[in-house]
Amino acid sequence: MAELATSLRRGTLEFCVLAMVEHEHRYGTEIVRRFGEEPNLAASEGTIYPLLSRLRRVGWLDSKWAESPAGPPRRYYALTTDGRTALEHFRTEWVSFRQTVDRLVGTGEAA
């Protein structure tokens, strides 16, 4: 059961990071800050930066550097084609997962 919980948490974090990058929250510091504001994810800087690196290694994110007028260049992230495909897969699976949970607990909200 612990392995399933770890897998679901990792999938949730991956989905959230990809969705944030898609919606223009691309800088690593911005992603860490936004995760820190969400208590349900309980993600810290120590969790997010390794996740960003892993998503780059699997080819879902590309990292680039942007000039900053107020300081040193900042790293930002962009979805790759594979990253967009993965994000769409996560969205589809999430809907399916929610429908299954709704059926199992009898909320009647599942289609």
Side-chain angles (χ1 to χ4, degrees):
M1 190 63 134
E3 188 176 310
L4 176 61
T6 300
S7 176
L8 286 174
R9 184 174 190 283
R10 178 179 295 154
T12 300
L13 291 175
E14 289 173 349
F15 174 79
C16 290
V17 167
L18 293 175
M20 288 175 73
V21 171
E22 180 187 48
H23 290 287
E24 304 299 325
H25 302 292
R26 299 182 188 190
Y27 293 103
T29 52
E30 172 73 4
I31 292 169
V32 169
R33 184 184 67 75
R34 301 279 303 231
F35 269 88
E37 293 172 353
E38 181 53 58
N40 292 332
L41 293 175
S44 68
E45 186 171 326
T47 303
I48 297 303
Y49 283 115
L51 176 59
L52 289 168
S53 293
R54 188 163 52 81
L55 293 175
R56 281 185 24 239
R57 279 193 310 275
V58 299
W60 292 357
L61 289 180
D62 188 18
S63 69
K64 301 177 183 191
W65 292 94
E67 293 298 322
S68 173
R74 295 175 62 194
R75 176 179 278 180
Y76 71 95
Y77 298 89
L79 288 176
T80 63
T81 302
D82 287 346
R84 289 188 189 288
T85 302
L87 181 57
E88 192 54 40
H89 175 75
F90 276 124
R91 285 186 173 126
T92 302
E93 290 301 311
W94 178 250
V95 169
S96 175
F97 175 73
R98 286 294 305 264
Q99 290 173 342
T100 300
V101 169
D102 288 345
R103 272 195 309 275
L104 289 173
V105 298
T107 63
E109 295 177 21

